[in-house]
Amino acid sequence: MSITILSIESSCDDTSAAILRDGEVLSNCVANQDAHRLYGGVVPEVASRAHQINIIPVVSLAIQKAGIDKREIDAIAFTRGPGLIGSLLVGVSFAKAYALSLGIPLIEVNHMQAHVLAHFAEPPYPSFPFLCLTVSGGHTQFVLVRDYLDMEVIGQSLDDAAGEAFDKTGKLLGLDYPAGPLIDKLAQQGQPIFDFPEPQIPGLGFSFSGLKTSILYFLRQEKEKNPYFIEENLPDICASVQERIVSILMNKLIRAAEQTGIREIAIAGGVSANSALRARLEQLGREKGWRTYIPSFEFCTDNAGMIAVAGYYKYLKGEFVGQEVEPLARWKG
Ligand code: KG4
Ligand code: ZN
C-alpha cells in the first residue's frame, strides 16, 4: 500500500510544505520571509504573521507540484518544536485543522531530529550507527544516530550556535540577516589572514560566544586605526571568521569520531550549506577513511521535506498524536 504524507514546517522564519510518497520527496516548497533582513534578525511577531499569510499558498503549491489530489494524503506531519512559539503555533494549528477536515491522522516531528533525517530524503543514505554534526541557527550538536527514530545528543554548544556565530558576526560587519550565506560568498574572495582564538572546551562541547566577543574587540581596535578597515578588508575578515568556525567544528568532529569509533559521518542543518565546511569534511573523510554524508542544499536549511521523512518513519511505527497536541518552544525529543 502506498503512503502519502503532507508535512508542514514553521519553526522559525521559513514556511514550508512538502509531499512525500513511500519515502520519496515529490515536492518541497519553501517561502522565505524577507522582512527580517531589515531588523538584522528574526522578529518573532513578524515571523508569525508572515507564516499566516504564506501557509495556505505554500501547502497548495506543494500539493500541486507533487501532482496529487489532497484526498490521497494519508497523514499530516508537522514540526511541534523546538522553535519560536508564535511561528510553531501557525503550523500546528493549520496541520490540526487540515487533518480534521480530511479525516486523517497527525504526526508530531521534532525539528532537530528531522534535520538529521534529511539524510534519508535522497540517496546516498548513511548506515546505522552514524554520527551527525547538526549545525543550525539555533543548535550545534553531535547526534549519535542508532536508528531512524533512535538518536542521542552526545555533545552540544554551551552558548551560541554555529549559525548564530555567522549571523552575529555579519551584524558586526554590517551585513544583512541571515549573514551565513553572505559570509560564505565573500570568504571565497578572501584569505584567512586574521587569527581568532579557538576556545578550549572540554569533551564534545562547543562555545561560540567568546569568538563573537573577540571579533567585536578586534574590529573595534582596527577601526580606531583605520575607520574604513571593514570596507577595505571584508573578504579577508569573512574568510578568517569562517576558517575559525569551521576549524572549531572539525576539530571537535575528529574527537567525536575517535571517541565513538564511528566512521559514518554526516553533517546537517543550515550551516552545512557552507562551502568551506563541506569541502573540509570531504577532505577529512579522505584523510581519516570516513564515509561522509552532506545533504543537498535544499535539505540543509529549514524545509518540510525533512519533516516528511521523519513523519514517514513515525507513520510506519504508528506514532500518531491527537487534536490536543500543542507546540513546544523547547523540546529535547
Ligand atoms: O537550519 P536552519 O535553516 O534554521 C535553523 O533551524 O536554525 O539554519 C539557519 C542558519 C543561519 O544561521 C544561517 O546563517 C546559516 O544557517 N547558514 C549558513 C549558510 N547557509 C545558511 N551559514 C554559513 N554558510 C552558509 N552557506
Ligand atoms: Zn532548522
Side-chain angles (χ1 to χ4, degrees):
M1 198 192 72
S2 169
I3 299 163
T4 305
I5 309 252
L6 162 69
S7 60
I8 312 282
E9 154 62 29
S10 71
S11 64
C12 190
D13 59 337
D14 294 322
T15 321
S16 182
I19 298 286
L20 176 139
R21 178 165 283 169
D22 301 331
E24 189 194 343
V25 178
L26 300 183
S27 64
N28 186 20
C29 304
V30 184
N32 303 116
Q33 302 179 3
D34 238 16
H36 310 287
R37 226 173 264 282
L38 299 172
Y39 303 101
V42 176
V43 182
E45 181 60 26
V46 174
S48 175
R49 283 166 192 267
H51 281 305
Q52 290 175 43
I53 295 167
N54 292 337
I55 194 138
I56 292 174
V58 168
V59 169
S60 305
L61 189 63
I63 292 172
Q64 189 194 324
K65 275 199 168 173
I68 65 155
D69 187 275
K70 64 175 191 262
R71 281 164 300 213
E72 295 172 52
I73 300 167
D74 295 299
I76 300 181
F78 62 94
T79 304
R80 185 178 178 197
L84 299 171
I85 197 73
S87 290
L88 290 165
L89 200 56
V90 178
V92 175
S93 308
F94 180 88
K96 289 203 291 193
Y98 207 41
L100 199 63
S101 75
L102 293 173
I104 55 175
L106 282 166
I107 304 168
E108 62 175 23
V109 172
N110 179 298
H111 182 87
M112 298 312 295
Q113 274 198 358
H115 268 304
V116 174
L117 292 174
H119 284 283
F120 298 95
E122 55 188 8
Y125 307 128
S127 358
F128 300 112
F130 68 92
L131 187 63
C132 186
L133 170 62
T134 310
V135 271
S136 71
H139 295 79
T140 300
Q141 50 187 220
F142 284 118
V143 187
L144 173 57
V145 191
R146 297 191 188 88
D147 204 344
Y148 298 107
L149 301 174
D150 181 5
M151 309 181 186
E152 186 187 345
V153 176
I154 57 168
Q156 60 191 322
S157 178
L158 308 174
D159 42 56
D160 290 355
E164 260 176 300
F166 275 105
D167 297 336
K168 288 180 176 174
T169 301
K171 209 166 183 178
L172 296 175
L173 296 173
L175 301 175
D176 278 352
Y177 175 88
L182 302 171
I183 291 178
D184 188 350
K185 215 177 216 174
L186 286 160
Q188 288 167 27
Q189 301 146 33
Q191 293 298 324
I193 55 172
F194 305 113
D195 192 26
F196 297 107
E198 179 161 352
Q200 300 304 312
I201 307 296
L204 300 181
F206 294 98
S207 168
F208 287 101
S209 66
L211 177 65
K212 183 194 64 191
T213 312
S214 67
I215 296 167
L216 173 73
Y217 288 152
F218 168 77
L219 293 175
R220 213 178 261 172
Q221 203 180 338
E222 293 300 323
K223 278 199 292 188
E224 267 173 28
K225 291 185 253 169
N226 170 10
Y228 302 105
F229 178 77
I230 292 180
E231 291 82 342
E232 289 171 6
N233 296 278
L234 194 53
D236 290 341
I237 303 170
C238 290
S240 307
V241 170
Q242 178 174 274
E243 166 65 26
R244 181 48 80 214
I245 296 173
V246 169
S247 78
I248 293 171
L249 293 171
M250 291 298 100
N251 287 341
K252 283 286 168 150
L253 183 58
I254 294 170
R255 186 181 287 195
E258 278 170 2
Q259 205 168 299
T260 56
I262 293 176
R263 299 159 86 87
E264 293 277 303
I265 310 285
I267 53 172
V271 180
S272 64
N274 183 268
S275 56
L277 183 66
R278 294 166 87 93
R280 193 70 57 82
L281 180 67
E282 279 176 354
Q283 182 199 338
L284 263 180
R286 285 190 294 272
E287 284 170 24
K288 304 271 179 194
W290 298 341
R291 272 211 295 249
T292 55
Y293 300 88
I294 304 176
S296 54
F297 291 114
E298 175 188 6
F299 295 110
C300 286
T301 45
D302 289 349
N303 69 91
M306 66 186 195
I307 306 299
V309 174
Y312 176 65
Y313 290 105
K314 288 192 138 189
Y315 186 100
L316 295 179
K317 288 187 100 182
E319 290 189 17
F320 303 111
V321 289
Q323 282 285 333
E324 69 287 351
V325 67
E326 282 177 0
L328 293 173
R330 290 170 177 272
W331 183 16
K332 283 204 176 127

